[in-house]
């Protein structure tokens, strides 16, 4: 039986740990760039941003309040690779562990907006700028479907969040997911009946 020196095992463990650290640093860098895009020019702490990327052996992102104190911290769990967001400025701070960067960003945006109302318009203006050039109908459709996805497909919650009656939301969803072929057959049959045809257009029931 061949016995390998122990330093081989130590090297493998060290290499795996280094790879995890590099991956965590890269993911945090990408997240930091995403936050910079959502808050262009945002600054209330001297000339700095309300968040900062910290490298080293324990890479993380710190979030600061209007006083410059650290109010939140984002790390990546070494064992499962989940993003971990902790609020540090509240007695009952939120601790969120998620694999979704989108979910994490939503929580960070809500946290920053709660710390300083002036930061909220930055995200709204950025979103509106992306929508310029699209029709109101397309924007409404995307907003409704994204809200429905955010509410895990629950139309009652989505209607409440959108501020519209549930029946209105259901009507719009029925329009979005209607079968164009069926609608055309219905319209053709109505036209045939109105024109006095003896044989109505037969629908495809398949």
């Amino acid at each position: 039986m061949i016995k390998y020196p122990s330093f081989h095992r130590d090297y493998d463990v060290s290499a795996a740990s280094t790879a995890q650290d590099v991956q965590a640093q890269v993911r945090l860098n990408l997240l930091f760039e995403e936050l910079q895009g959502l808050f262009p020019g945002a600054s209330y702490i001297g000339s700095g941003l309300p968040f900062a990327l910290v490298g080293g052996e324990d890479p993380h992102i710190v979030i600061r309040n209007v006083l410059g104190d650290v109010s939140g911290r984002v790390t990546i769990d070494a064992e499962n690779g989940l993003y971990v967001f902790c609020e540090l400025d509240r007695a009952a701070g939120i601790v969120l562990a998620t694999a979704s960067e989108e979910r994490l960003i939503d929580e960070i945006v809500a946290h920053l907006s709660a710390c300083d109302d002036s930061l909220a318009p930055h995200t709204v203006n950025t979103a509106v700028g992306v929508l310029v050039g699209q029709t109101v109908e397309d924007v409404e459709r995307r907003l409704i479907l994204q809200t429905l996805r955010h509410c895990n497909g629950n139309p009652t919650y989505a209607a409440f969040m959108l501020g519209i009656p549930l029946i209105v939301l259901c009507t719009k969803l029925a329009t979005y997911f209607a079968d164009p072929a069926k609608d055309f057959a219905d319209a053709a049959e109505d036209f045939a009946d109105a024109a006095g045809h003896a044989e109505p257009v037969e629908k495809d029931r398949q």
Side-chain angles (χ1 to χ4, degrees):
M1 179 177 178
I2 301 176
K3 292 186 178 181
Y4 294 96
S6 61
F7 72 83
H8 281 292
R9 292 191 297 272
D10 296 339
Y11 174 80
D12 291 340
V13 172
S14 177
S17 177
T18 301
Q20 286 182 342
D21 291 343
V22 171
Q23 185 181 33
Q25 185 69 58
V26 170
R27 291 173 64 192
L28 288 173
N29 280 335
L30 293 174
L31 175 62
F32 182 73
E33 292 178 2
E34 188 77 16
L35 290 173
Q36 285 181 307
L38 286 173
F39 294 89
S43 174
Y44 54 57
I45 309 163
S47 59
L49 291 167
F51 38 82
L53 179 63
V54 180
E57 296 182 356
D58 180 27
H60 58 277
I61 293 176
V62 294
I63 301 170
R64 302 182 184 277
N65 57 26
V66 292
L67 300 177
D69 300 325
V70 176
S71 61
R73 190 170 186 266
V74 179
T75 58
I76 294 180
D77 189 278
E79 293 185 4
N80 51 36
L82 296 178
Y83 291 105
V84 179
F85 170 64
C86 300
E87 284 189 337
L88 306 175
D89 61 343
R90 301 180 186 179
I94 293 176
V95 178
L96 171 70
T98 178
S100 170
E101 183 176 301
E102 181 179 345
R103 175 72 179 87
L104 174 66
I105 289 176
D106 285 345
E107 200 64 51
I108 294 174
V109 169
H111 177 81
L112 286 171
S113 299
C115 292
D116 185 359
D117 293 338
S118 66
L119 290 178
H122 288 283
T123 57
V124 174
N125 289 337
T126 300
V128 172
V130 173
L131 299 175
V132 172
Q134 301 185 40
T135 65
V136 173
E137 183 179 358
D138 288 340
V139 171
E140 181 188 66
R141 175 190 173 97
R142 292 191 180 196
L143 175 61
I144 288 176
L145 295 179
Q146 287 286 349
T147 304
L148 189 65
R149 187 182 73 169
H150 178 78
C151 296
N152 296 320
N154 189 311
T156 302
Y157 292 161
F160 177 78
M161 183 174 290
L162 291 165
I164 60 176
L166 179 59
I167 185 64
V168 173
L169 175 61
C170 291
T171 301
K172 290 182 179 295
L173 291 176
T175 302
Y176 298 156
F177 299 114
D179 183 358
K182 180 178 182 300
D183 292 342
F184 179 79
D186 289 339
E189 182 177 2
D190 293 340
F191 178 79
D193 291 341
H197 289 286
E199 295 294 333
V201 177
E202 184 177 357
K203 299 180 188 177
D204 183 4
R205 297 297 182 181
Q206 294 182 352

